[in-house]
Amino acid sequence: MTTLSIFDVHNPEAAPAVTEDAGEIGQLLQRKGVRFERWPTQDLAADATPEQILEAYSLEIAKLKAERGFQAADVISLNPDNPQKEAFRKKFLDEHTHSEDEVRFFVRGQGIFYLHLGDQVFAVQCQKNDLISVPEGTRHWFDMGPEPEFTCIRLFTNPEGWVAEFTGEDIAGRLPRFEALEGATV
């Protein structure tokens, strides 16, 4: 289930405020300039290729490209049997920003986006059907967990794809990781 946990950066050990209500999650994130929506997904074969996934969602991708001027779309997918899963996880665990919006549509699985917004960190455990758009310049990181299992469509205004500017802050290491938040409840 999609979950939002809100942490105080000055007291990250304190119990966070938590909600599983998708409407409330959308409203809370919208107030911070973050787009969050629930979109229908299609039943695709477990071994669907990136090309097949992009074709299956071509109308949704075209809509987002028209709305926001995205130039490229790709698919990122990771499974627990990937021998490089630890390296992939580590790559996204440090706080960073981008010079463009970071858009992800989860067509399978889950992962947690941590958004450092002022004195709070919004940990959004995204699931299948979730679309999140992290605004350009927003401090954030992503945790796919120790046994990653997800497939996301990514959209970019920069045809080169994912380019991060790391902040050097240690906030990501002071907050609970995927293992601690997975399935957190109110």
Side-chain angles (χ1 to χ4, degrees):
M1 176 164 285
T2 303
T3 306
L4 172 63
S5 303
I6 304 174
F7 294 88
D8 179 339
V9 296
H10 303 294
N11 190 8
E13 302 83 23
V18 178
T19 183
E20 294 177 340
D21 181 284
E24 183 179 10
I25 292 169
Q27 290 174 359
L28 289 167
L29 291 173
Q30 183 180 24
R31 289 182 200 144
K32 299 293 186 176
V34 177
R35 179 179 183 173
F36 174 84
E37 299 170 2
R38 302 274 299 156
W39 285 16
T41 54
Q42 300 179 31
D43 290 326
L44 299 173
D47 62 349
T49 66
E51 294 78 15
Q52 291 169 325
I53 293 168
L54 292 172
E55 176 61 30
Y57 291 98
S58 61
L59 294 176
E60 292 86 349
I61 292 168
K63 177 184 172 191
L64 288 169
K65 283 182 173 182
E67 283 177 9
R68 303 297 303 267
F70 294 112
Q71 301 296 309
D74 72 5
V75 173
I76 184 169
S77 188
L78 213 57
N79 293 308
D81 62 353
N82 187 306
Q84 297 179 346
K85 65 185 177 186
E86 289 178 34
F88 280 119
R89 183 183 190 195
K90 185 173 177 12
K91 177 180 179 179
F92 302 110
L93 276 178
D94 289 328
E95 185 182 72
H96 59 276
T97 63
H98 300 285
S99 61
E100 64 178 314
D101 292 357
E102 181 169 356
V103 179
R104 300 292 179 269
F105 174 51
F106 284 77
V107 298
R108 179 182 68 91
Q110 64 182 344
I112 301 176
F113 273 94
Y114 293 80
L115 312 171
H116 186 174
L117 305 167
D119 288 338
Q120 297 176 313
V121 172
F122 287 60
V124 186
Q125 184 174 351
C126 294
Q127 305 277 332
K128 178 180 176 180
N129 300 96
D130 290 343
L131 172 94
I132 189 166
S133 180
V134 179
E136 167 187 345
T138 300
R139 293 172 172 249
H140 68 284
W141 62 97
F142 179 72
D143 190 352
M144 61 187 71
E147 298 296 321
E149 190 163 352
F150 69 92
T151 300
C152 291
I153 296 173
R154 308 184 302 177
L155 290 109
F156 303 98
T157 53
N158 178 350
E160 294 176 25
W162 193 85
V163 178
E165 294 285 333
F166 291 93
T167 66
E169 297 291 328
D170 69 346
I171 185 71
R174 293 187 279 129
L175 287 164
R177 295 258 163 107
F178 181 95
E179 303 87 325
L181 293 182
E182 183 181 24
T185 58
V186 179

